[in-house]
Amino acid sequence: MQHGPAVRRRKLGAELRALRTSAGLTSGEAARLVGWHQSKVSRIETGTSGVKPADVRLLLDAYGVADSQLRELLMMLAGSEDSDGRHHWWHAYRGVLPPTYRDFISLESQAGAMRTLETSVVPGLLQTPEYARAVTRAAVEGLPEDRLDTLVEVRLARQDVLRADPPLKLSAVLDEAVLRREVGGPGVMARQLERLVEAARLPQVRLQVLPFAAGAHIGVTGPFVIFSFSSTSDLDVVVLDHLTSSLYLERKEDLQAYTEAFNALQIHALSPEDSLDFIAGTAAGA
């Protein structure tokens, strides 16, 4: 269990080591190809030191890695640039967003799939602007209006992953409390429920409601997110949010445990079709 940057360094290092081995190179040979000392390659591969995106680009070129999707993902793990050396959009908010949130956004932007259990609020990728504003205002008391505007702007910008090509595949299990908790007033909540109905009809979104009638379930311990990457499953990670930080779980046994938990939640939840009817019925009665 570690914070995001440490997990990313270790994952990046392990992937670079595997690529070097596949290229038939020793660490010393790789170092000579890029003009470094062998110890630098070793520190990068063990995750004991950070690495700049430009350095990752050098190594990928030296290893003959042509897969653009894999290159993009590894560049993302290295920092705030893409494979062409351009900053990602959230770089403009470095002065506003804490590092753990930037890490979450970077993973979200490159993941192929996201599975999430939400027990209290609507997932950020599906929030309306009014709902996002009400949730953010409640979560951070005394927030100045300009900073609140910025955080809502970031929340909405994140939703572009659902419209990307290819889009992020989102599977979400929502506790019924998410639908019943009135956030921002009746009008805001009514529009948010309508938004969920619209989202549930998207081919890249799978929404399921876990009704109160299901009783106690494995998700009562709290919400979580599982990010999966199409290039390699070795980069998959579980994210747990806390009041002042986020924790990242990367061990295979952790991933297996949370994957099994999510699968169990899907079994106990309403089907996507019945969930759509449930959300629509809740919206009609809001």
Side-chain angles (χ1 to χ4, degrees):
M1 183 180 296
Q2 302 180 50
H3 292 290
V7 170
R8 294 199 307 175
R9 283 198 305 270
R10 285 188 9 151
K11 287 182 175 293
L12 175 59
E15 189 66 20
L16 289 173
R17 181 171 60 251
L19 291 171
R20 172 180 60 75
T21 301
S22 296
L25 298 170
T26 66
S27 58
E29 290 169 339
R32 284 192 293 274
L33 280 175
V34 295
W36 298 345
H37 193 278
Q38 182 180 358
S39 62
K40 180 174 180 176
V41 174
S42 297
R43 289 195 304 272
I44 290 172
E45 290 185 352
T46 56
T48 55
S49 67
V51 55
K52 297 178 180 178
D55 289 342
V56 173
R57 192 181 301 113
L58 282 176
L59 291 174
L60 295 178
D61 290 343
Y63 302 158
V65 178
D67 185 331
S68 59
Q69 189 174 19
L70 180 58
R71 289 178 68 98
E72 184 76 18
L73 177 57
L74 296 181
M75 294 292 294
M76 177 274 295
L77 289 174
S80 59
E81 297 177 357
D82 62 18
S83 58
D84 297 321
R86 298 170 300 192
H87 288 305
H88 290 295
W89 64 265
W90 58 88
H91 181 79
Y93 299 95
R94 287 181 65 89
V96 178
L97 306 180
T100 52
Y101 193 17
R102 296 201 303 269
D103 286 331
F104 185 91
I105 294 173
S106 66
L107 290 171
E108 184 179 71
S109 71
Q110 293 298 326
M114 174 179 173
R115 287 164 287 177
T116 181
L117 165 68
E118 290 291 350
T119 58
S120 297
V121 297
V122 171
L125 295 182
L126 303 178
Q127 292 178 5
T128 65
E130 298 84 3
Y131 186 97
R133 177 174 292 274
V135 166
T136 305
R137 191 190 300 276
V140 188
E141 292 186 0
L143 198 62
E145 280 299 313
D146 57 343
R147 186 177 175 86
L148 177 60
D149 291 341
T150 299
L151 292 176
V152 172
E153 183 179 307
V154 170
R155 181 71 53 87
L156 299 180
R158 284 173 47 202
Q159 298 177 3
D160 284 344
V161 295
L162 294 176
R163 297 183 287 269
D165 185 19
L168 174 75
K169 294 180 179 179
L170 174 63
S171 295
V173 174
L174 309 182
D175 190 276
E176 184 177 344
V178 172
L179 309 180
R180 300 294 183 187
R181 177 171 287 104
E182 188 176 287
V183 174
V188 169
M189 199 62 204
R191 287 188 290 274
Q192 178 60 70
L193 292 175
E194 291 171 0
R195 170 74 179 108
L196 285 178
V197 170
E198 295 170 0
R201 295 192 175 110
L202 296 174
Q204 67 270 34
V205 175
R206 178 187 175 94
L207 286 186
Q208 290 181 259
V209 175
L210 194 62
F212 292 147
H217 54 78
I218 197 168
V220 295
T221 55
F224 60 85
V225 173
I226 306 173
F227 285 121
S228 300
F229 298 87
S230 54
S231 298
T232 171
S233 62
D234 289 340
L235 294 174
D236 292 358
V237 63
V238 176
V239 184
L240 306 177
D241 269 336
H242 296 272
L243 183 62
T244 58
S245 65
S246 296
L247 293 175
Y248 294 67
L249 308 180
E250 54 152 347
R251 298 185 308 166
K252 289 185 177 180
E253 50 266 45
D254 292 325
L255 287 164
Q256 181 178 351
Y258 277 89
T259 296
E260 291 176 354
F262 189 80
N263 292 341
L265 289 166
Q266 286 188 308
I267 291 173
H268 288 92
L270 300 176
S271 69
E273 296 75 20
D274 288 343
S275 295
L276 178 58
D277 291 339
F278 191 96
I279 297 171
T282 305

